Structures are given as C-alpha cells and as structure tokens.
Amino acid sequence: METKERILWTAIRLFARHGYEAVSVSQLADRLGMAKSALYKHYVNKQDIFDSIVRRMEQLDRENAAACELPIKLRTEDPAAYGRAGLENLAAFSQAQFRYWTENEFAACFRRLLTLEQYHSPAMGQLYQQYLGAGPLRYVEDLLAGMGWSQPAARQLALEFYGPMFLSYSLYDGAAADADRTAVTERLCRYMRDFIGRWKREEKGNEI
C-alpha cells in the first residue's frame, strides 16, 4: 500500500474510534511511524485528509448506485433516470448499501465517524444527514415519485421503507456476535423484499 493510501486508512480508523477532533496530526504520524513533516508531503493538514475521505465516499456512493442502474444525479437534474428506475433496482441497491455501510471497512469507519461527530460539528451533522439520514430518505422518495407515486404517497412509503434500514444500523452495531449481526442483515433484507413485493402487488391491482 502506497504511503498516501496508508495515511488515509490509518486516519479513518483512528477517526472512527476516537472522533475527528480528538485525533491530532501528531498522533496520526506516530501511529504511522513517520514524522509530521513526512505526512505533510502527502496532505496539507488534517482537513485535507478528511476531504480526501469524503471524496472517496462520494465516488463509492456513485459507483454503488450505478451498479444497481439507479440515478446518480439529483432528480431535478435528470428526471428521466428516475422514471426508468424500478422497484427491483431499489431493493437490490438498498440491501447492497446496508451491507456496504456495515461490512466494508472504509464505509463502516466513515459511518461510525459521522455518528460520533454529528452532535459536535454542524458540518459533520450535515454529512451524517446526507449519507445516513435525510439524504437516503429523500433519494427513495424521489425514486418512488419518479416511478409514478404521488409526492405525499412517495414520502410516506419512503419513510416506511427506509426507517427500518436506519434503525438496523444501530441494531447491527449493538449486536454482540457475528451471528447476531448476520441476523440483523437477513431480517432487513427479508423486510425489504416483502415490502417491494407488496408494492408490486398493489401496483398491479391498481392497473386492473
């Protein structure tokens, strides 16, 4: 692993454990076994390291949506893409996202960092909402509205769909054993599949 990448990984692990504000550049350099001056050859300061982490998360988020054939841009920027989205794509994406946020080490560390820091910094609070709170809830709402649901119906269904996913992050983190964490994931995925199935049946019934 090249030095710049090693710095990024070490930083995200320390931030996830202790919080962003609690970790100094000196502590980071000590953990890496390098002088601060050597670290500054790769990143200007701690904020630069964090900005690089956010850029990586933004890129991974776009890649995950594209892999499930879901829109990358906002609905106002690309409404046609929201019209092409399907319920199966939403279900596949949501299940993959939960596994990504819990099982991918980089994403899991970022999620824990935002959870720790959301009350300490308005900027961190905004990022928490963007990635884990209002952001994904609004994305589901926009997808459903793009598929043809009225805005009020899409808003209510989005809450019913995403609410259990949001809760499951806490249940997953609080699970004591791997088997318990697996059970949380499986229960959420089953809920999503059942919910999508019910939506499709209601859709079909409305067409008759």
Side-chain angles (χ1 to χ4, degrees), residues 49-157:
I49 295 172
F50 181 76
D51 290 344
S52 296
I53 290 171
V54 172
R55 283 194 295 271
R56 175 166 297 186
M57 292 304 305
E58 290 173 348
Q59 179 61 31
L60 291 171
D61 219 27
R62 288 192 293 268
E63 291 174 0
N64 291 344
C68 291
E69 299 181 352
L70 287 178
I72 297 173
K73 297 180 179 179
L74 297 174
R75 186 180 172 206
T76 52
E77 297 172 336
D78 190 6
Y82 285 78
R84 293 191 298 269
L87 291 173
E88 294 86 353
N89 305 84
L90 173 58
F93 175 66
S94 299
Q95 293 172 52
Q97 279 294 90
F98 186 78
R99 289 193 169 94
Y100 163 70
W101 281 111
T102 55
E103 298 173 11
N104 178 288
E105 185 186 2
F106 198 91
C109 284
F110 186 68
R111 178 172 62 84
R112 293 187 190 111
L113 163 63
L114 295 183
T115 302
L116 282 173
E117 294 290 350
Q118 62 176 313
Y119 302 112
H120 301 153
S121 159
M124 291 288 190
Q126 288 177 3
L127 282 173
Y128 179 86
Q129 290 298 325
Q130 175 185 332
Y131 281 97
L132 297 162
L137 179 63
R138 186 168 52 249
Y139 185 61
V140 174
E141 179 184 332
D142 285 345
L143 284 170
L144 294 174
M147 293 178 206
W149 271 273
S150 68
Q151 204 67 47
R155 184 173 299 115
Q156 179 62 33
L157 288 171

Side-chain angles (χ1 to χ4, degrees), residues 3 7 11 15 29 39 55 63 67 89 92 99 106-107 134 158 165 170 184:
T3 302
I7 294 171
F15 293 160
L39 190 152
R55 283 194 295 271
E63 291 174 0
N89 305 84
R99 289 193 169 94
F106 198 91
M165 183 172 172
S170 179
V184 171

Side-chain angles (χ1 to χ4, degrees), residues 194-208:
D194 291 346
F195 213 118
I196 293 292
R198 178 163 66 84
W199 286 355
K200 292 184 71 175
R201 288 192 296 273
E202 289 178 357
E203 243 190 338
K204 188 174 181 180
N206 291 335
E207 292 173 357
I208 297 174

Side-chain angles (χ1 to χ4, degrees), residues 158-171:
L159 186 61
E160 293 176 20
F161 182 76
Y162 184 69
M165 183 172 172
F166 184 75
L167 172 63
S168 293
Y169 289 126
S170 179
L171 296 176

